[in-house]
Amino acid sequence: MDPIRIAVVGLGKIARDQHLPAIAGTPAFSLAATVSPHDPGTEGIPHLSSLDELLKKGPAIDAVALCTPPQVRYGLAVQALERGIHVFLEKPPAATLSEVAALRDRADKAGVTLFASWHSRFAAGVAPARAWLAERRIEKVSIVWREDVRVWHPGQAWIWEPGGLGVFDPGINALSILTHILPRPVFLRTATLSIPENRAAPIAADLSMCDTSGAEIHMDLDWRQTGPQSWDIVVETDAGTLRLSRGGSVLTTPTGTEHNEDLEYPGLYSRFANLIRGGRSDVDMAPFRLVADAFLRGHRETVEAFHD
């Protein structure tokens, strides 16, 4: 079977750190082109300044991975879907829920694959955590997701603009794990969003949620942490405590600790290939809905200015 010819659109940090290596290591794909108006591209791979140029001039492609800021993904995805090209959306999948819903409908009508990706769900501990929790009664959940924005998003002004999500850009990773491992749906009760006086998006957030059985869920997000970073989810159950740490790569249950090699992005691309081969889409909006709910219902407080 011939490999799927894919173009990567947007060559920022995540594309170079994760997407390009994952594509190179996934035999189902071949990197056909890269697209960016600001980056010179990768040696030996055709490079174009825009998706429009690529679609007009070639090379031919079967799929695109959209790694641009979310505020511009909708238009790019529409261009691809109209040409019958499969679309991989980095997270968050778009700037709004309505955009994602519209893209899902377009993909269905075009008969092509749309994949709203959640890379943290492919962290090593997540699948076994989901299996372990399936038979347990959830009593309480605590999430602490604190990191240093200057380390992970240096100079990325778009992330502070409307649609960029601010601290929810990493926070949605935790929500993607939460909504995947818990056996019941989750909804927001209250939220506090801390927004720097010179920015449009929050630098920290405190969320109170619960599942449909009433189990309390608390989430602490902060982009101001220096030193060791915290990406931890603790689930208290009737059979003891489960902990996912290091972003989901380390799983601890009452029977011990598992720490396996993380292959998040290779896992995403294997999933994308299987969806394409099977003629299916995967557009789970549960994590994105919780973020939207936080912006809808959250109390906003102004905090000191943030400067890179």
Side-chain angles (χ1 to χ4, degrees):
M1 187 176 292
D2 291 336
I4 300 162
R5 299 166 298 180
I6 190 168
V8 173
V9 181
L11 286 180
K13 180 175 172 57
I14 195 68
R16 289 196 171 276
D17 289 353
Q18 301 291 350
H19 287 264
L20 297 184
I23 292 168
T26 306
F29 289 96
S30 65
L31 181 61
T34 57
V35 175
S36 173
H38 308 298
D39 190 283
T42 300
E43 185 176 358
I45 302 297
H47 180 74
L48 300 101
S49 61
S50 69
L51 179 58
D52 186 61
E53 184 184 11
L54 171 62
L55 296 176
K56 287 178 179 177
K57 297 181 178 180
I61 58 171
D62 307 302
V64 293
L66 299 183
C67 305
T68 64
Q71 294 97 324
V72 299
R73 280 200 202 126
Y74 175 78
L76 295 170
V78 167
Q79 277 188 277
L81 294 172
E82 287 179 343
R83 298 290 191 96
I85 294 167
H86 308 291
V87 176
F88 177 121
L89 299 169
E90 238 304 346
K91 62 85 192 172
T96 69
L97 288 167
S98 298
E99 287 182 350
V100 183
L103 291 176
R104 180 187 57 202
D105 292 344
R106 279 181 176 270
D108 289 345
K109 289 177 182 177
V112 296
T113 293
L114 179 68
F115 182 31
S117 68
W118 303 108
H119 66 82
S120 290
R121 288 182 174 177
F122 290 82
V126 172
R130 175 184 169 97
W132 193 87
L133 291 171
E135 304 299 324
R136 271 71 184 184
R137 184 180 73 248
I138 310 301
E139 297 177 347
K140 185 178 180 182
V141 182
S142 175
I143 303 170
V144 177
W145 219 258
R146 290 173 158 249
E147 63 182 44
D148 187 345
V149 64
R150 291 184 175 92
V151 172
W152 300 100
H153 297 280
Q156 295 181 11
W158 63 265
I159 213 163
W160 297 103
E161 296 299 325
L165 300 191
V167 75
F168 284 100
D169 181 82
I172 206 170
N173 295 334
L175 293 172
S176 74
I177 295 174
L178 178 75
T179 54
H180 190 62
I181 65 175
L182 293 194
R184 295 181 179 86
V186 173
F187 63 90
L188 180 83
R189 284 180 167 168
T190 63
T192 299
L193 310 182
S194 301
I195 303 175
E197 62 182 9
N198 62 333
R199 303 288 178 170
I203 197 168
D206 188 275
L207 277 61
S208 174
M209 300 174 282
C210 66
D211 71 5
T212 53
S213 70
E216 297 288 336
I217 303 167
H218 178 254
M219 184 176 195
D220 171 14
L221 293 175
D222 205 312
W223 247 351
R224 298 167 295 192
Q225 178 148 307
T226 57
Q229 312 283 275
S230 303
W231 300 295
D232 303 307
I233 299 175
V234 178
V235 185
E236 298 177 24
T237 79
D238 59 337
T241 299
L242 175 147
R243 175 185 291 272
L244 279 168
S245 54
R246 299 185 189 177
S249 63
V250 180
L251 170 65
T252 302
T253 65
T255 59
T257 298
E258 301 177 21
H259 185 184
N260 298 311
E261 182 183 5
D262 253 330
L263 297 172
E264 293 183 16
Y265 278 83
L268 284 177
Y269 276 96
S270 293
R271 172 69 171 159
F272 189 34
N274 289 336
L275 290 170
I276 292 171
R277 303 297 192 202
R280 296 174 293 127
S281 291
D282 181 354
V283 190
D284 179 13
M285 292 193 284
F288 203 16
R289 280 199 301 269
L290 287 172
V291 174
D293 288 347
F295 278 93
L296 277 170
R297 197 170 184 184
H299 167 74
R300 288 161 172 78
E301 63 177 17
T302 301
V303 297
E304 66 181 354
F306 172 82
H307 300 283
D308 269 330

